[in-house]
């Protein structure tokens, strides 16, 4: 009788563990991250970021909108876009998996707060994720 109880307990434990594991794996598959779109419709300007983890970073780690003023964001973006584009144009020296595209950013154009905010935070995210520095006095491990 003890053996029967032991076997029943073992089978029940396996069923519970299997059902929990399948629930966890199903929930991870159903939460697909959407790309982040950085756009200014009046200027017909759009950047689509499909880097996994950026949506989560923007929602949980990044400072909220309004934390930085637009002038600060524009100054950071100007430096970082320049560095990014130099690396994107030099595929023999830099990882083209990271620097796939040139960013068309004109520092004399007012893209608005949202575009500058999301671009700034993407640069912070990329520096953190890829353990690199785009310069401008910011260290690699900087959160924001």
């Amino acid at each position: 009788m003890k053996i029967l109880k032991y076997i029943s307990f073992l089978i029940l434990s396996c069923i519970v563990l299997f059902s929990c594991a399948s629930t966890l794996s199903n929930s991870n598959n159903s939460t697909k991250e959407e790309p982040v779109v950085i756009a200014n419709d009046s200027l017909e300007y759009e950047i689509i970021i499909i880097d996994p983890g950026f949506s989560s970073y923007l929602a949980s780690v990044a400072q909220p909108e309004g934390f930085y003023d637009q002038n600060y964001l524009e100054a950071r973006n100007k430096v970082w876009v320049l560095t990014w584009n130099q690396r994107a144009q030099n595929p023999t020296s830099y990882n083209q998996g990271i620097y796939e595209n040139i960013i068309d950013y004109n520092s004399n154009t007012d893209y608005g707060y949202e575009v500058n905010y999301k671009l700034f935070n993407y640069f912070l995210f990329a520096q953190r994720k890829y353990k690199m520095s785009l310069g401008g006095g910011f260290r690699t491990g900087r959160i924001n």
Side-chain angles (χ1 to χ4, degrees):
M1 198 62 148
K2 270 187 166 180
I3 294 175
L4 186 57
K5 283 183 180 180
Y6 179 73
I7 292 173
S8 298
F9 178 74
L10 187 60
I11 291 172
L12 182 61
S13 298
C14 290
I15 290 171
V16 169
L17 287 174
F18 178 74
S19 65
C20 289
S22 65
T23 303
L24 289 173
S25 65
N26 289 340
S27 67
N28 287 341
N29 292 340
S30 65
T31 57
K32 184 179 178 187
E33 186 170 324
E34 294 295 320
V36 174
V37 177
I38 301 173
N40 183 320
D41 294 336
S42 64
L43 296 174
E44 297 180 7
Y45 185 85
E46 181 177 82
I47 298 173
I48 300 174
I49 298 175
I50 55 173
D51 202 337
F54 180 57
S55 293
S56 299
Y57 175 88
L58 203 54
S60 62
V61 178
Q63 295 290 355
E65 286 190 39
F67 185 83
Y68 303 105
D69 70 4
Q70 187 169 335
N71 290 332
Y72 177 80
L73 297 173
E74 289 171 345
R76 295 287 81 206
N77 288 340
K78 180 180 178 181
V79 172
W80 288 341
V81 165
L82 181 63
T83 302
W84 184 278
N85 288 344
Q86 288 171 343
R87 292 177 183 182
Q89 293 171 343
N90 194 350
T92 57
S93 298
Y94 296 99
N95 182 345
Q96 287 304 286
I98 298 172
Y99 306 100
E100 292 181 25
N101 298 308
I102 301 284
I103 299 172
D104 184 19
Y105 183 90
N106 182 341
S107 60
N108 296 322
T109 301
D110 180 6
Y111 294 103
Y113 188 86
E114 184 179 6
V115 168
N116 281 288
Y117 170 78
K118 288 182 179 175
L119 184 59
F120 170 82
N121 277 292
Y122 178 71
F123 286 135
L124 288 177
F125 167 78
Q127 290 179 91
R128 184 178 190 184
K129 180 177 180 179
Y130 300 113
K131 296 177 178 41
M132 50 100 158
S133 175
L134 294 172
F138 283 77
R139 62 189 185 281
T140 305
R142 185 172 194 269
I143 295 175
N144 45 19

